[in-house]
Amino acid sequence: MTKKIIIAFALLFTLLGFNSSAFAEGAKRKAPEVLKEVDAKIQEALASVAAGNAQELTSKISEINELAGEASANYKFEFERDKVRQRLKAARLASKKSDLAGAEQELKAAKEGFAKLANFL
């Protein structure tokens, strides 16, 4: 009987010893911060269109799309965010095909879409 009590206390103290931050998810950034960063990266991508390097533009658009996925607020926000991310996907596909004009057009549409997402916060 005493062995069971000792084991129970040992388990209790072991569990209490775990830091709650060990179980916590990674720190999530707030949606307005992410949207500002996305806007800045889209501006960089638009500036790099003039360079004419389609491969570099494709990688930048992929980074933007990944970053945009971090923005989360509510259902309506995420629904609209996913629609705007489709513009980024279209821009990436256009840049893969070396259609820099089409990619630029889609990036501009995505930039406007991300600016409108602030209304859903």
Side-chain angles (χ1 to χ4, degrees):
M1 183 70 152
T2 57
K3 243 184 187 180
K4 289 182 181 180
I5 293 173
I6 292 172
I7 291 173
F9 275 118
L11 285 174
L12 176 69
F13 288 123
T14 303
L15 290 174
L16 290 176
F18 280 110
N19 191 349
S20 62
S21 64
F23 298 110
E25 290 183 26
K28 292 187 177 182
R29 299 182 339 199
K30 296 188 180 195
E33 296 172 6
V34 174
L35 290 177
K36 285 180 185 176
E37 193 173 336
V38 166
D39 186 51
K41 293 216 178 247
I42 289 176
Q43 200 61 34
E44 289 177 19
L46 286 170
S48 70
V49 168
N53 188 348
Q55 204 169 27
E56 180 183 338
L57 182 62
T58 302
S59 67
K60 283 186 180 187
I61 294 171
S62 294
E63 288 174 20
I64 295 167
N65 198 14
E66 187 175 316
L67 178 63
E70 294 179 17
S72 179
N74 56 46
Y75 176 75
K76 182 68 175 167
F77 177 86
E78 291 174 4
F79 179 75
E80 296 296 327
R81 177 203 64 197
D82 289 342
K83 287 182 3 185
V84 178
R85 286 179 73 193
Q86 289 298 317
R87 292 289 193 164
L88 289 174
K89 183 178 178 181
R92 186 174 55 83
L93 291 174
S95 67
K96 274 186 171 180
K97 295 177 183 175
S98 297
D99 179 14
L100 296 179
E104 182 179 20
Q105 181 181 358
E106 292 293 338
L107 279 172
K108 287 179 181 178
K111 183 177 171 71
E112 291 174 15
F114 281 116
K116 291 178 185 176
L117 281 180
N119 298 334
F120 297 104
L121 294 176

